[in-house]
Amino acid sequence: MATYDLTPRIGPNLDRHLVFPLLEFLQERQLYPDEQILKAKIELLNKTNMVDYAMDIHKSLYHTDDVPQDMVERRVEVVARLKALEDAAAPLVTFLQNPNAVQELRADKQYNLQMLNDRYQNFSSPLNQVQSRIWLMHWSLFIFFNHDNGRTQIIDLFNQDKYLNAIQTSAPHLLRYLATAFIVNKRRRPQFKEFIKVIQQDQCSYKDPITEFLACVYVNYEFDGAQKKMKECEEYLSCGYEDMILQSMEKLRKQLNILKLNLNYEEGERWIVNLIRNSKLDAKIDSKTGTVIMEPNQPNVYEQLIDHTKALQGRTFKLVSQLLDHVQAQPAR
């Protein structure tokens, strides 16, 4: 389903070269006409140095051996610019290839940034650092979802405060991938509870069938709604990059379906009581209607404030320590 295709949102945060695997994926799944994909590739290549590749696609698209003159001229410019960039980067490359010079680097990141900035004008502002984190997270998707332990590593990276803050403020669509990793990963369950709070808080800024499914199951306890979202997920995941999540979500679906099995009343009541006790859910049984009533887990404003500030003291101490280390590293004037 092209409706849930995140390529237009992910693309601006990727290097142009990394967009090509996404276009290849879309072309393979035939979500868009083949001609449209080829034109998109040429448009993407026109602003890169991959002129030869653009020429090949142009020949394939228009069934010709001729290429536009502007592509030929562009190729000459690319070769000249490549040589200029090699000359400009030569001092920094020489520094990194020199073992004695590399030993000047310290464990203090701020010192290294300042030293490289003074020598090579390699400046990175706080705003640039946030943008760099967003780029890193987008680029890392190619690695995490193609690595055996990637679903654990993506949680370790994305769930850090500074990265999670960047997601919530500038790239909420990345919640899809973090949600996917949590669902298929049993080793990060303690962090999953905190992530559900993020899903709950960010429902207004971003939602898709996966995040809505989690909200139905873990926030609102709407099992009928979860069943509907499950069906949407089956269609939705067929156009995404998380097919492996379906197997794990099927297990949750079976758990939801048990509520509608033809158990006798005593067996059903016993099963529900054990479910409530083991899962520590806020729920009660209505004996008259033979149903279980589950209360949504919605923390009040004071609980949310405590959650957001409970690590403030530790962060402040760490920030002050880094500042003191940076000041002490400065030469006396």
Side-chain angles (χ1 to χ4, degrees), residues 225-242:
Q227 291 281 23
K228 294 179 181 179
K229 293 302 173 183
M230 173 68 72
K231 293 180 180 179
E232 291 184 25
C233 285
E234 291 182 352
E235 300 177 356
Y236 170 55
L237 292 175
S238 66
C239 74
Y241 317 108
E242 318 90 338

Side-chain angles (χ1 to χ4, degrees), residues 72-87:
V72 178
E73 296 174 354
R74 171 67 176 161
R75 191 178 190 283
V76 176
E77 295 176 2
V78 166
V79 174
R81 187 167 184 271
L82 178 61
K83 181 64 170 62
L85 289 175
E86 289 177 349
D87 294 339

Side-chain angles (χ1 to χ4, degrees), residues 263-271 285-291:
L263 299 175
N264 63 50
Y265 184 82
E266 292 183 358
E267 291 176 344
E269 186 178 54
R270 189 181 308 113
W271 183 85
I285 298 175
D286 188 339
S287 300
K288 293 182 180 180
T289 60
T291 59

Side-chain angles (χ1 to χ4, degrees), residues 113-156:
L113 288 174
Q114 185 63 42
M115 187 266 286
L116 292 174
N117 177 50
D118 293 340
R119 294 189 184 183
Y120 307 105
Q121 298 181 350
N122 185 24
F123 178 76
S124 179
S125 66
L127 182 60
N128 289 337
Q129 292 180 17
V130 172
Q131 184 60 55
S132 295
R133 292 188 189 112
I134 294 174
W135 286 340
L136 174 62
M137 287 186 287
H138 281 85
W139 297 349
S140 67
L141 295 176
F142 291 90
I143 299 175
F144 289 141
F145 283 94
N146 288 283
H147 190 276
D148 293 339
N149 198 35
R151 266 68 74 188
T152 297
Q153 295 172 345
I154 192 175
I155 293 175
D156 294 340

